[in-house]
Each structure stands twice: as structure tokens, then as C-alpha cells.
Amino acid sequence: MSVDGTLDVRRADIATMLLDRVGDQRLGLRTRDTEWTWDAVVGESAARAELARTLRREGPFHIGVLLDNVPDFVFWLGAAALAGATVAGLNPTRGDAQLAADVRYVDCQLIVTDAAGWARLRRLDLDLAEDRFLLVDDPGYAARIEACRGPLSAVGGPDSLLLLLFTSGTTGTSKAVRCTQRRLSVIAYAAAAKFGHVRDDVDYCCMPLFHGNAIMALWAPALSVGATVCLTPKFSASQFLPDVRYFGATFFTYVGKALGYLLATPEAASDSDNSLVRGFGTEASVADQDEFRRRFGAKLFEGYGSSEGPNLAVPDPAAPPAALGRPAHAGVAVVNPDTLRECARAELDEYGRVRNPDEAIGEMIDKAGALAFEGYYKNEVADADRLRNGWYWTGDLGYIDTAGFLYFAGRKGDWIRVDGENTSALMIEQVLRRHPAVVAAAVFGVPDPRSGDQVMAAVEVADPAGFDVEAFTDFLCAQSDLGSKGLPRLLRVSSNLPVTGSNKVLKRDLREQGWRTDEPVYRWAGRGRPVYARMTEEDRRALESEFAVHGRQRML
């Protein structure tokens, strides 16, 4: 920070933020078993930074971390900042081939893991010697840390590459986002100002630390104000409220599917008896936000963002519940990617639906965002796709209404063309999530054998065998804001939708599978009394035949 209390972005870095915590006796990190002051957190980070320096070899100073949300993950984030190294958080939910490809892609020269992670990694052909692995639960690990304790120092600075964050890969191949210490520190102070982070906060970290959600929206802001970070190894809906009460948590982060799991837990009269004040996350419907506030008494701040992109919106108390807020500055716009012209303002009906979607919905861009984008690691093609015409392209759909409020309309791949009209998968998902039995929903287009797309939905419920499809049909028909074009023609009922390690539904997998799954799939039979009829093998063969006849044999 500068003398006048403002942030000097030229000098901002995580290493300095850590050193500012030296001597700070407020609790900086807690688990159910142990706790550390901020001063101790810095000390643990510094010892690991020294250990990393002794193990450094030629090449990129990249340290892979394959751990759950355990204290060592936090310490190694700090160690990388102090040592001028880079942490690549490795996703344990990836398949073996994907995990091996991730390690090679980001050039890990050292991997921090545990015995379980090591047992898995040693099966992979990684071309890394055994001394390139540090096991945090190895009996000799603590002694190696103790031997590295000494005077504090920091090699890292504002321009040091601190993080390689893998994108979720929900719609395509995962990429590694570059994030310097400067960028993360700027995000930290901005988040603290935007969402009211204060030193007295107790931040419950239940989202995975290998993902930007936990680091950018919780750990870094907590560091900026000296709040307490509380860890749970993995997200658990049943453990959420007991943990919040145990730690006295005031803040947490989430994603939409995790919030759905929380709301699916049995309601109790004591739900609101907790310390939570607020939460921040993405992809939660307005209905879920309202229901969470009713049950648990905490306000949720629904935002838009990505690990690589700039901030697009600023809060406005006058904004409608579904809006992100107002564009952050004059350069934030929604444009037609083909013509590069700004889209028309969205005209909304009484249900908040866009009356003119073809003219109003386009890709959200930031004309000044190229300055904030730090690129992907070793992926010039992806860099060029993000930066076109001198603008930063989010790859996401949005619209701006006549009052000037900005809205998220789904990922670029969520645009479904039905009978010549565009339909937003996100808006259909929000309707499906209102049904009390639906924990999570994913909507996507499957190609119609003759023209356009058909809308297919996959819903996750606790008991697929007991799911009342007839009642669900009645529910959909009663939703005033679900137009006929948005009514799913194919419905998959699942007990466990495929997700990424950060609990985002993998639409890519669902789209590829389509109706080719062992789980129940229903087909719309809308003649006479509307109803979903379960697809038989004969139905599946007939649909395959239609695709074959019309030259559309594979899912797009």
C-alpha cells in the first residue's frame, strides 16, 4: 500500500503482503485439529520457501501441489510467493491420463503431495525422480521443514508468476491460466473493498484450493485484511453447518452445484442459528440465493468472473436480482462476435425474460481487458482467441437491459438454436432448479436430425427410481417463464451428474453421451396431455436411425 492508503499496483505483491503479517498474532489459519497465528503462517511458508530453493533445478520453478484443503496447501502458496516460485494446483478428480498430461504441460519440477497422491502419481509416466516428490505425511517431512527455518526473506515480487490455474474444462480442454503476484494482490484488495472483507472475518474455505474460487475470492482477500482462514479437506453438504458453527465462520465461497447440495439437506428449525454473514460465488439461481438467505440467514453475493479475466461488473443496490450489476466501465460491452457491433439493449417481459434475444444477447467483452489478461501457459492459440480486435473476449454470453444493467446468459456453448430461435441454456436451468427434488441441472443442445437443435436436460435427484416424472411434467407446464422453445424434449434423470473438481457440471461429457446412457432418459410426448415417456431401446434405435438418415450420426 502507498503512504496515502491506496494500492500501488506497481509494487503490489503477495510476498510483501505475507511479510506484513510478521508479528501478527491474530489467528491466520485453523483446522479442526490445529491453528496458527498469521505470524506462524508466514514462518511455515518461509521454511518451505527455503526448502524449495534447496531443491530447485534448471527450468521453470514450478511446484505442483496435489493435496486436499490441508494446511500445507496454504503454506506452499506462501512459500511460492516468498521463493519466487509458481504453484500449479493439481486437480485430484482428473483421470490418470489427464493428470499426467497436466503435470507435463505445466513443467512441474517438484510435486508436493501425500501418501495417497504419491501412490497414484507413481503409476504415471512422469519422468520425475523420486526426490522430486515431497510427501507432507512422510515421517521425515517435518524434520526437513525444521532444518530450513531461518531469517525471513522474499525473492518473489510483483512480476513473479505465482499461479498456474487450470480452467474447469467444462466445455473443452483445460488450460493453465497465468497469474502473477501483482494480479492476485490487486484482486485481493479489490475483493476486500467490494464485498466488505474485514479483519474480524472468519473465512470458511470449503471450495478446493487448486481452483481460483478459493484462492482469489477467499485466501487472498483474507491475507489482505488479516482475517482467519478455516479449512475443511473437501466440501461436504452435511458437514457445512457443523463446521460453520465450530469455527464461527462469517464468510464462505461457493459454486451453484454446491449450493444446491446445501439446500437439498433436510431443513431444521435451527438452520439460521449460525454465524454466517455473507458468501460469494457463481452460477446460483436467484431462487437458490433467496432460499439460502431464508434458511441460513446469510446474504449471497453472486458474481461473474473467471481465473483469467478482468472484472466486468460493479454492484448496484438498484440492480434486479438476476443482474450482475452495472458494467464496471465504459469499455465493458455485449457485442455480436460476427459483426463486432454492440448488441441492442434487452427488452424484458414481466418474468425477466428477454423479448429480443437474437438482437440483445451476444458475447461479453472488455475493450480495455487486454491489459489485465496475463495469458495461458504455453498456449498462444488460446491467447489469440481471447484477444481479438484489441479486446478481451470472455467467451460467455450476456446482455444489457434498457436500464443499463449487465446480465450473464451462459457460456458461449450454452446457446441453443431451436426452430430458428436462440435459447439460453442457463435460463432453462434456473427454471429446472426450482423443483424441490432437483439438486443440480444441466441443459444443452443435441442436434435435431432435420434442423437446429433439440433441448436436452439432465437433472440430478436423490432418488431417480422414485422421481415422479408426471409431477415434474406438471411443474414445467406451470412455469410461466419457460417458453415452449425452452421445454426440454429429452430429460435424463441422474443420481450423480459428472462434475469437475470444483463442482461444476461437465456439460461436455453430457452432450457427448446424449441419450446414450444407462440412466433413465425420457422423451417429450406433447400430444394430448403433455407427458414425458421413458425411452425404450426401440425409441433409442429409432432416434439413431433418424440421425443416420439425415447424416447426423454423431453428437456435436
Side-chain angles (χ1 to χ4, degrees), residues 76 88 108 121 130 250 271 329 340 352 420 469 471 502 535:
W76 278 98
C108 294
L121 289 168
E130 287 196 17
T250 60
D271 281 349
H329 56 83
L340 303 183
V469 178
S502 54
M535 289 184 70

Side-chain angles (χ1 to χ4, degrees), residues 17 64 78 85 108 149 163 185 200 222 268 274 285 306 394 443 485 516 529 538:
M17 292 168 66
C108 294
R149 297 192 186 278
L163 301 171
S185 63
D200 288 337
N274 66 76
S285 68
S306 62
T394 65
V443 172
K485 295 289 193 289
R516 303 174 182 92
R529 185 186 184 281
E538 184 178 352

Side-chain angles (χ1 to χ4, degrees), residues 417-473:
R417 190 77 173 174
V418 180
D419 294 334
E421 296 182 14
N422 287 327
T423 300
S424 168
L426 175 68
M427 296 177 184
I428 302 171
E429 289 167 1
Q430 291 174 348
V431 173
L432 300 180
R433 275 287 297 117
R434 293 178 196 155
H435 191 278
V438 175
V439 175
V443 172
F444 46 93
V446 294
D448 186 277
R450 292 177 173 81
S451 63
D453 295 315
Q454 291 185 26
V455 176
M456 183 169 183
V459 296
E460 181 176 322
V461 299
D463 179 19
F467 184 62
D468 191 335
V469 178
E470 186 173 336
F472 188 70
T473 304

